[in-house]
Amino acid sequence: MASLHPSQTASSTKASESSSESTLRPVTSASGYVFPAIWSFPPFFTIQPNPQTFAHQIGLWTQLLLSWAKFHRVFFLDAGAFDGGDCKELFHNQAINRRLQPPAIKQFVTHLLKEGLISADPPQQSSTYLIYWKKPEEWASVIYSWVSDNGLTGSIMTFYELTEGDMAHTTEFYQLPPSLLRRALDVLVKRGKAQVFKGEDVAEGVKFF
C-alpha cells in the first residue's frame, strides 16, 4: 500500500516543503500529548491526489484524531469552525505553519461518518459532531461494569448523578456529554439492562437491572 511518507514527493508539493525522514521527530505538546512525526510533515495537511496515498493519509488522520481526543477527553469536532474548535491544536501545526483546511476537514468528516466514528450532534446538521473515541456500545459496557461493581443494579440515578456525582469523579465516563450518555444508555435499554425515565418535571434518570 502506498503511504504518506517523508521520502515521497507528491506532484502538488513544493520542493521547499520536502522534509527528510531523519529530520522528523515526534512532537510533545504543552499538554503532554506526543504527536507522531508525520504531524510535522507539511504534505500531511494537504489532500493527496493519489487515491492510495490519500487512503493512507486519511487513515493516519483518523488514528491521530481518536488518540488525541481520548488523551484530552475531547468529545466534539466542530467542522464549521475555521480553527477546528476544540480540535484546533490538532488541525493547526503552528511550528510548520500548516493547517488542515475546511475542504480537507469536510472529506475527513465524510470518512469518519462512513466508519461510524462520529455522529452529528444535534442530528440533521453538518457542523458539530460527537467523536467516538469510545463508541456508545463501549461506553455502555464501561458504565454497566461500574454499576455492577458498585452494587448499583436495581438503583435509580439521575443523568447528573451518573456523570457528575461524587462517585463519578474517578470514572472514565465522568462529564460524559448528555447526548453521548443517552446513546450509551439506549444500548443498555436494548440489552434489557436499563430503563430510562424522561419526565418534564423531574430530571432525566435511569434504573439499572
Side-chain angles (χ1 to χ4, degrees):
M1 177 183 292
S3 62
L4 189 69
H5 192 278
S7 63
Q8 293 180 319
T9 305
S11 59
S12 60
T13 304
K14 295 180 181 179
S16 60
E17 293 180 339
S18 297
S19 301
S20 67
E21 182 177 7
S22 62
T23 62
L24 294 179
R25 296 287 185 273
V27 176
T28 302
S29 68
S31 63
Y33 181 77
V34 180
F35 285 96
I38 191 68
W39 190 68
S40 296
F41 187 47
F44 187 51
F45 289 81
T46 303
I47 294 298
Q48 297 300 303
N50 180 280
Q52 287 184 307
T53 305
F54 172 72
H56 187 62
Q57 177 188 25
I58 207 73
L60 292 174
W61 268 111
T62 298
Q63 294 171 21
L64 180 55
L65 171 69
L66 297 179
S67 169
W68 179 89
K70 181 177 182 179
F71 181 88
H72 292 288
R73 292 185 60 81
V74 170
F75 292 99
F76 292 97
L77 166 61
D78 187 351
F82 179 75
D83 65 357
D86 291 343
C87 297
K88 60 184 177 182
E89 178 192 63
L90 176 66
F91 292 157
H92 184 196
N93 186 331
Q94 298 185 41
I96 61 172
N97 193 28
R98 287 294 183 274
R99 184 194 302 272
L100 200 63
Q101 299 296 326
I105 293 177
K106 183 177 180 180
Q107 290 194 46
F108 188 27
V109 164
T110 297
H111 171 78
L112 292 170
L113 284 169
K114 182 179 178 181
E115 296 297 317
L117 296 172
I118 61 172
S119 67
D121 185 59
Q124 309 304 320
Q125 50 84 40
S126 58
S127 59
T128 307
Y129 299 88
L130 278 170
I131 303 172
Y132 291 156
W133 43 270
K134 278 188 187 296
K135 293 186 177 182
E137 294 81 5
E138 295 175 297
W139 283 118
S141 296
V142 169
I143 291 171
Y144 195 77
S145 292
W146 177 82
V147 168
S148 298
D149 292 344
N150 286 277
L152 295 173
T153 52
S155 64
I156 297 176
M157 303 178 71
T158 65
F159 284 12
Y160 180 85
E161 287 174 327
L162 185 58
T163 60
E164 303 280 351
D166 292 339
M167 293 181 66
H169 284 208
T170 58
T171 68
E172 275 192 274
F173 51 86
Y174 177 58
Q175 295 186 330
L176 197 69
S179 53
L180 184 50
L181 174 63
R182 291 187 188 95
R183 286 168 168 79
L185 293 179
D186 284 345
V187 173
L188 292 179
V189 169
K190 292 177 181 178
R191 293 175 180 173
K193 294 183 176 181
Q195 179 183 359
V196 172
F197 300 94
K198 299 179 180 179
E200 294 182 0
D201 300 323
V202 296
E204 288 183 294
V206 55
K207 181 176 182 178
F208 296 100
F209 305 113

